[in-house]
Amino acid sequence: MATLESQIFSTTINLDTTPISRAGFSRLLIMGTESGRTDRFEVYGSAAELLADSAAGIVATDPEYKMAVAAFNNGAVDIAIGRVDSGDASWSAALDAIVAESNEFYGIVPTSTTQSVLESLAGNLAAHKKVAVIGSNDTSGIGAGTTTDLAAVLKAASNDRAAVFLHDTAADAITLPAAIAAKWLSFNPDVTAAAVAHMTISGTSIDTGLTTGELTNALGKNCNVYSSSKAVGAAWPGKMASGLFMDQRLLGDWYEARLTEDLQELASTQANAGGRIPYSSTGFAMVEGVVRKRDSKGIAAGWFEEFDDDGERALRVTTPSAGSSKATRTLAFTARHRQTGAVQEFIITANLENV
């Protein structure tokens, strides 16, 4: 017998909650002035695709294309071109405009070699939680005992989001930062803890032109180089201008992003199930459980150690801590994790006894 149910009721049952958006760390933004597109941000899956984009109008001699080739040769799955407009007040303002259109990138390699431009960009990285890898062939400045070159200025500013790489050859100074950044960020921080020191890249020549004095001066300014060790190409030492290692910068950004995502997922799950995180020992345990899960994932990826030297668990969680307020429903807590760190240098003492 025909009934009216199908005419009266149209039902969709969805038992899944909306997943929390997770930050990505792999995409590299090549920031420059050559794109003729009207939009600020465009993603490409290959260098050939970039070259074929007639709206962009980028040609093989443009630094954007050369950087794209270097990035794809070193593990990039895709890259984005960020357009700097001639009317932008600064590259800092240009970055604001690009992020306003799309925030779907983490690393930046600028095509400009002008120091004032690079200082402007570097000063705006923290506001957007981005990192930049910058190439330079200013051997007469960075390689000398001056205090006004780009590396010295960024070191004095304790900039912990910009890494400067010096190369004696101008052409390689263009491709080097894209190659380094692409290889570094091709490793998923959810899975592995990648350091930059000792990385070997493709498509950029080993710098054989730096003198011992230039190398010493550059390293003293927390500038990086791509040289050789035992005939193997090696990036060295993998530092931000402040002296913070590049992998430590990534660790900090990864941890902040993932922990806040985890906490939002907990809060959303509780609320969407008709509950909440109670301001009680039960709720505190929920939050601590989130922190402990994130610590375990950090251990699995190689970021954190599980135990202290005394054999006790390295993780320490204090909740609630100062700043908590039941009246305002604010929970403050502290979490202490122990970084694994990395071995980059070796001091060898060997006693070759014949007894």
Side-chain angles (χ1 to χ4, degrees):
M1 184 180 84
T3 65
L4 296 176
E5 280 92 338
S6 63
Q7 302 297 316
I8 298 172
F9 304 106
S10 177
T11 306
T12 300
I13 306 298
N14 187 353
L15 299 179
D16 295 325
T17 57
T18 302
I20 301 299
S21 176
R22 297 280 175 176
F25 295 94
S26 63
R27 181 170 291 154
L28 186 64
L29 179 85
I30 299 173
M31 192 172 172
T33 61
E34 295 303 319
S35 176
R37 298 185 65 92
T38 57
D39 51 351
R40 291 280 192 163
F41 180 91
E42 188 69 24
V43 176
Y44 299 91
S46 68
E49 183 182 341
L50 171 61
L51 205 59
D53 184 0
S54 58
I58 289 174
V59 298
T61 55
D62 288 333
E64 285 90 340
Y65 176 74
K66 294 177 181 179
M67 286 182 165
V69 171
F72 284 114
N73 283 342
N74 287 278
V77 174
D78 59 32
I79 56 95
I81 298 294
R83 180 175 61 81
V84 179
D85 191 84
S86 59
D88 290 330
S90 64
W91 277 51
S92 173
L95 179 59
D96 290 337
I98 293 168
V99 169
E101 185 169 309
S102 177
N103 198 29
E104 297 299 314
F105 64 95
Y106 178 64
I108 301 171
V109 285
T111 60
S112 176
T113 58
T114 302
Q115 182 170 331
S116 60
V117 164
L118 298 172
E119 288 180 18
S120 169
L121 174 63
N124 197 21
L125 295 171
H128 297 293
K129 296 181 180 178
K130 306 298 184 187
V131 296
V133 182
I134 299 169
S136 174
N137 74 320
D138 182 20
T139 54
S140 62
I142 295 175
T146 62
T147 58
T148 56
D149 59 85
L150 178 65
V153 169
L154 295 184
K155 178 185 177 182
S158 298
N159 192 303
D160 62 0
R161 290 186 170 274
V164 180
F165 275 78
L166 179 66
H167 199 292
D168 181 67
T169 305
D172 287 316
I174 293 173
T175 59
L176 177 59
I180 291 289
K183 184 158 188 175
W184 174 40
L185 298 180
S186 70
F187 299 102
N188 184 351
D190 290 319
V191 178
T192 189
V196 172
H198 297 289
M199 276 189 176
T200 301
I201 58 173
S202 300
T204 298
S205 64
I206 294 171
D207 194 343
T208 58
L210 293 178
T211 67
T212 300
E214 289 169 342
L215 178 62
T216 300
N217 286 326
L219 295 178
K221 299 173 184 180
N222 293 332
C223 185
N224 304 277
V225 297
Y226 185 63
S227 191
S228 65
S229 177
K230 298 298 179 181
V232 175
W236 186 261
K239 287 182 178 181
M240 296 297 181
S242 66
L244 184 73
F245 285 100
M246 294 169 71
D247 52 297
Q248 290 179 304
R249 173 71 278 159
L250 177 57
L251 167 59
D253 290 341
W254 170 82
Y255 179 78
E256 180 183 0
R258 292 293 181 261
L259 185 60
T260 53
E261 291 160 0
D262 295 342
L263 290 169
Q264 182 60 62
E265 185 172 37
L266 172 65
S268 297
T269 299
Q270 292 299 112
N272 291 327
R276 56 186 178 174
I277 304 172
Y279 200 97
S280 66
S281 58
T282 300
F284 303 157
M286 289 180 178
V287 172
E288 183 172 335
V290 167
V291 177
R292 290 192 177 280
K293 286 182 180 179
R294 182 49 52 190
D295 183 67
S296 295
K297 291 179 179 179
I299 292 169
W303 292 114
F304 299 141
E305 290 192 45
E306 185 173 2
F307 299 103
D308 280 329
D309 293 337
D310 59 6
E312 296 294 321
R313 283 297 301 265
L315 176 64
R316 304 280 192 277
V317 183
T318 302
T319 181
S321 60
S324 297
S325 170
K326 188 173 185 178
T328 62
R329 301 191 170 190
T330 302
L331 176 63
F333 65 91
T334 60
R336 178 262 196 185
H337 306 267
R338 186 180 186 186
Q339 293 184 44
T340 56
V343 175
Q344 297 189 180
E345 301 183 44
F346 305 90
I347 300 176
I348 304 168
T349 301
N351 298 315
L352 308 180
E353 298 180 357
N354 183 22
V355 294

